[in-house]
Amino acid sequence: GYSFDHWTAEVQEGHGNGNFPESSDEAVSIIENNYGNVTLTAYYKINQYTISFETNGGSEVADITEDYGTLVSAPEPPTKEGHTFEGWFSDEECTIPYSFTTIPAQNITVYAKWEILKFDVVFANADVAAKNDVPYGSTIERPENPQKSDDGDTKYRFIGWFSDAGCTEVFDFSL
């Protein structure tokens, strides 16, 4: 979380020659005949790190770059058509949930996990209904045409699948 910046040296007052540089990233020599105490102090600067976001096909999320240890919170969730956002994860396989607390001491990438939406498609006729769970973006398979037994003088012929209860909109299986 921190990188070395510079040294400062302080000689005990009244001892030695006190010819130390005020700050230096070079070696400091202790000079002969310096009988006093010398205090060398290392100074460090805080590092900045970045949390990057791999949205796995979702909308873009801006990176977070802050000083090490800065409190951070999760960004607004990304969106992805036909999917529900399940959260941010530390690994590409999305098995280890990531908890936003503070900026870590290294650059990291977190990964979005998505659950595909599923829709209930019901094929109904007067005698039976068939229900299919269809994932978003999938093609709906046309079921077999239902058969209805003739009822005395009444003959039945199946004329198709419709998307409305009034049977006015023919269902398009190619969508």
Side-chain angles (χ1 to χ4, degrees):
Y2 297 86
S3 296
F4 175 75
D5 190 37
H6 67 275
W7 288 103
T8 61
E10 184 181 317
V11 179
Q12 184 180 2
E13 195 172 317
H15 297 282
N17 64 12
N19 287 333
F20 290 103
E22 190 171 308
S23 69
S24 172
D25 56 2
E26 298 177 14
V28 175
S29 299
I30 305 296
I31 300 177
E32 189 176 343
N33 297 325
N34 181 352
Y35 301 108
N37 293 330
V38 175
T39 302
L40 298 174
T41 305
Y43 284 86
Y44 296 85
K45 62 182 174 183
I46 196 164
N47 295 332
Q48 286 197 331
Y49 297 100
T50 299
I51 299 175
S52 298
F53 298 92
E54 172 53 60
T55 62
N56 291 322
S59 59
E60 191 172 318
V61 174
D63 293 348
I64 299 173
T65 300
E66 293 288 346
D67 289 345
Y68 164 72
T70 300
L71 292 175
V72 294
S73 55
E76 285 293 316
T79 58
K80 183 176 180 180
E81 187 175 328
H83 294 76
T84 301
F85 179 68
E86 295 288 310
W88 294 109
F89 289 77
S90 298
D91 60 320
E92 290 183 53
E93 295 77 24
C94 296
T95 61
I96 304 167
Y98 183 77
S99 178
F100 288 86
T101 55
T102 60
I103 289 286
Q106 63 185 9
N107 295 325
I108 63 167
T109 298
V110 294
Y111 303 86
K113 181 177 182 179
W114 299 100
E115 178 71 29
I116 193 163
L117 295 176
K118 293 183 181 169
F119 299 91
D120 291 336
V121 176
V122 178
F123 296 97
N125 66 48
D127 295 330
V128 64
K131 179 180 165 186
N132 294 331
D133 288 330
V134 180
Y136 173 83
S138 297
T139 301
I140 299 171
E141 290 187 35
R142 176 185 220 103
E144 288 186 28
N145 290 341
Q147 301 294 321
K148 184 169 176 131
S149 299
D150 293 338
D151 184 14
D153 291 336
T154 306
K155 304 282 185 196
Y156 295 97
R157 180 175 61 91
F158 180 73
I159 59 171
W161 293 106
F162 297 86
S163 58
D164 65 322
C167 296
T168 60
E169 299 288 328
V170 175
F171 185 79
D172 184 358
F173 283 91
S174 65
L175 299 177

